């Protein structure tokens, strides 16, 4: 697909959407836990994919798109856990905050089975949820998962075990017999439940929004319209401000010292008669 140099970006993305649009959308909905937030996550992931279509070369499209979607979803979670956010308590990130009104009114809501699986997955934290979807739901190998997520083989196996235990307990509490003494039985029952997810059709509003945003990005690049303040620009502004402040302080310090020296010199070289008259007074 990408090796054909005659294709432009739009044609390449059309082909990508036709073959893998549903795949990205279904992964996004399961990760985010709702059709609304899943739509936003899929849009962000597909926009990244469209911007970097040449990077697919040398990778299988499925793993490449999975990796982009997982990274797009996991990045806000990592930021929330950062030391900076723990100190300053920034507002919690939510994909649903920026959902367009026109899209929200046209979304197809999930079926009861889809809702049950999504709610079950949302009981897990982000790393465990990834393992439940990738390892238990979609059947990726540990080696394949290691190429898509920032975890080693040992961490992947540990997170998968924890996810299996929590999901099996949740299923047992809800009336689904998923608990048992053997780990193999619990894993098989949890996997069977997660694989009841029937693939959803990605809405065309998703593709249209990605195309529209990409066109807008290109127009901004061509017209050199700044869409945000860059970190480099902010640093340069502060360097200039601090330089001016330091220069002003230095000027007042030097001129003040020179004035003091002049006044001291004038006092030391006063005429003797003038000094005697002052004493007599």
């Amino acid at each position: 697909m990408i090796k054909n140099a005659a294709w432009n970006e739009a044609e390449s993305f059309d082909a990508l959407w036709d073959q893998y649009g549903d795949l990205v959308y279904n992964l996004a909905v399961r990760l985010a836990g709702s059709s609304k937030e899943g739509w936003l996550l899929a849009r962000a992931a597909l926009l990244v994919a469209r911007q970097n279509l040449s990077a697919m070369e040398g990778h299988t499209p499925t793993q490449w798109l999975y990796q982009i979607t997982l990274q797009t979803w996991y990045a806000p979670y990592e930021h929330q856990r950062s030391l900076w956010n723990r100190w300053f308590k920034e507002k919690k990130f939510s994909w649903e905050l920026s959902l367009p009104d026109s899209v929200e009114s046209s979304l197809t809501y999930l079926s009861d089975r889809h809702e049950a699986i999504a709610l079950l997955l949302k009981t897990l934290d982000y790393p465990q949820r990834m393992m439940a979807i990738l390892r238990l739901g979609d059947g990726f190998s540990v080696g394949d998962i290691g190429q898509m997520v920032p975890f080693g083989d040992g961490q992947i196996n540990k997170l998968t075990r924890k996810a299996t235990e929590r999901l099996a307990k949740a299923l047992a509490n809800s009336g689904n017999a998923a608990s048992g003494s053997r780990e193999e039985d619990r894993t098989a029952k949890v996997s069977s439940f997660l694989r009841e997810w029937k693939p959803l059709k990605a809405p065309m509003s998703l593709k249209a929004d990605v195309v529209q945003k990409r066109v807008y990005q290109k127009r901004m690049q061509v017209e050199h319209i700044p869409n945000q303040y860059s970190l480099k620009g902010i640093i340069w502004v502060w360097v200039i401000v601090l330089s001016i402040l330091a220069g002003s302080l230095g000027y007042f310090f030097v001129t003040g010292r020179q004035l003091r020296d002049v006044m001291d010199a004038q006092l030391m070289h006063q005429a003797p008669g003038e000094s005697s008259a002052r004493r007599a007074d």
Side-chain angles (χ1 to χ4, degrees), residues 86-226:
R86 292 177 184 178
W87 282 355
F88 295 99
K89 301 296 182 182
E90 294 181 3
K91 190 174 181 180
K92 187 177 180 181
F93 179 86
S94 175
W95 293 102
E96 196 169 341
L97 292 176
S98 56
L99 186 69
D101 294 336
S102 59
V103 172
E104 184 173 4
S105 61
S106 63
L107 278 178
T108 302
Y109 290 93
L110 303 179
S111 66
D112 291 342
R113 178 56 68 183
H114 287 129
E115 286 283 1
I117 296 174
L119 290 174
L120 184 68
L121 289 170
K122 288 191 76 171
T123 63
L124 304 173
D125 62 20
Y126 277 46
Q128 292 178 15
R129 199 184 310 177
M130 284 196 294
M131 296 307 111
I133 294 172
L134 298 176
R135 191 84 176 98
L136 302 175
D138 294 350
F140 283 102
S141 67
V142 174
D144 289 339
I145 295 174
Q147 297 178 11
M148 294 185 283
V149 300
F151 302 120
D153 292 355
Q155 289 177 297
I156 292 172
N157 289 325
K158 183 178 179 180
L159 290 169
T160 303
R161 285 195 300 271
K162 288 184 176 180
T164 302
E165 292 171 1
R166 293 189 62 178
L167 292 178
K169 185 176 180 180
L171 285 174
N173 292 336
S174 64
N176 294 278
S179 61
S181 57
R182 295 181 57 193
E183 181 179 350
E184 294 81 2
D185 295 338
R186 294 196 301 269
T187 301
K189 291 175 181 178
V190 170
S191 295
S192 177
F193 182 80
L194 294 179
R195 291 175 184 180
E196 291 181 15
W197 181 277
K198 301 300 182 183
L200 301 166
K201 185 67 177 176
M204 288 304 297
S205 62
L206 178 58
K207 178 185 178 183
D209 203 74
V210 171
V211 172
Q212 181 181 4
K213 286 189 174 298
R214 184 56 178 154
V215 170
Y216 179 69
Q217 286 180 344
K218 287 186 172 183
R219 184 180 68 82
M220 293 179 68
Q221 292 173 358
V222 171
E223 298 179 2
H224 303 287
I225 303 174

Side-chain angles (χ1 to χ4, degrees), residues 22 53 120:
D22 294 347
L53 284 171
L120 184 68

Side-chain angles (χ1 to χ4, degrees), residues 78-90:
E78 284 283 84
H79 176 70
Q80 292 291 330
R81 295 175 63 248
S82 65
L83 186 60
W84 174 275
N85 189 66
R86 292 177 184 178
W87 282 355
F88 295 99
K89 301 296 182 182
E90 294 181 3

